[in-house]
Amino acid sequence: MENSLPDHRKKRGLSQQALADALGVSRQTIISLEKGRYDPSLPLAFKLSALFGCRIEDLFQPDDE
Amino acid sequence: MNTEQETKARWGRSRFGGSQAMLIIVSLLAGAVLSLGAGLLFATLNFPGDFVLAALIMAAGLLPVLSVGCWALLLDRSTLRGATKNPEISVESQWYDKAAVGVFQDILLVCGLGAAVLSFIEVQASTGLILAGVVGLAMADFGVRYLLIKRAEG
């Protein structure tokens, strides 16, 4: 799954560790999310959208088949 | 943030209150009592001749495991430095699940094939040793699988 997480994070001036702390997850989770190696669970996706004040679809886009 | 960090400790604090040192001391004492009890029971049932030696060896082996077990039971996880607040939605949780599923399949395969082979060949072995072997295999398998998944997806 593609995502625009790094852009949103950098716009807010957050480091990966700061974002991880805000979400209550490990920094490795943010690294894996940004690399597209980890598809977030719904609770995590909702937390991210609430934190960045946008829709989940604005953060994550499914791969083209 | 600083206040939150200051309330956290490397080994955490007990869910019943008290300092980090208190948690460690109580865990060690509880572990010592339990391991001594288990050592005495083991020696009584198996080695009445070398009672003291057998009890001490068993107790020494169990002490670290039971102490850590007591620490884990008594710990208030929110006071542990470095512990994430929501581990269930962290990527490590997914790695854990994937590794555990793989171990389950491996254990089914190994035990199934082993049972099939042993139905043709009669082998005398201690049930305790066999179970310990299965647990050891599962733990080693899990460790390898977790590391491989972490390397591939991390």
Side-chain angles (χ1 to χ4, degrees), chain B residues 83-100:
Chain B
T84 53
K85 194 176 165 190
N86 301 308
E88 70 282 358
I89 54 172
S90 289
V91 69
E92 289 86 352
S93 174
Q94 190 183 71
W95 296 344
Y96 180 98
D97 289 345
K98 283 184 180 178

Side-chain angles (χ1 to χ4, degrees), chain B:
Chain B
M1 181 79 86
N2 284 341
T3 313
E4 191 180 325
Q5 286 299 321
E6 282 163 14
T7 60
K8 293 177 183 267
R10 180 172 185 177
W11 298 99
R13 290 175 171 67
S14 167
R15 61 183 68 198
F16 303 109
S19 65
Q20 173 182 235
M22 182 62 76
L23 172 62
I24 293 171
I25 290 168
V26 170
S27 300
L28 284 172
L29 282 175
V33 170
L34 290 174
S35 57
L36 196 62
L40 291 173
L41 182 65
F42 172 77
T44 306
L45 294 175
N46 297 288
F47 295 97
D50 295 316
F51 181 81
V52 176
L53 183 64
L56 283 176
I57 290 174
M58 190 63 170
L62 286 174
L63 178 62
V65 180
L66 291 176
S67 294
V68 170
C70 291
W71 171 79
L73 282 175
L74 294 171
L75 175 71
D76 173 2
R77 203 176 167 281
S78 66
T79 64
L80 191 63
R81 191 184 301 152
T84 53
K85 194 176 165 190
N86 301 308
E88 70 282 358
I89 54 172
S90 289
V91 69
E92 289 86 352
S93 174
Q94 190 183 71
W95 296 344
Y96 180 98
D97 289 345
K98 283 184 180 178
V101 167
V103 170
F104 173 70
Q105 290 165 346
D106 290 344
I107 292 295
L108 273 184
L109 192 70
V110 168
C111 289
L113 287 175
V117 170
L118 290 178
S119 65
F120 293 98
I121 310 160
E122 193 172 333
V123 176
Q124 297 291 331
S126 155
T127 315
L129 274 181
I130 292 172
L131 289 175
V134 171
V135 170
L137 173 73
M139 290 169 78
D141 190 13
F142 180 86
V144 170
R145 280 183 172 276
Y146 187 91
L147 286 176
L148 289 176
I149 293 168
K150 183 180 179 183
R151 180 172 290 185
E153 300 183 9

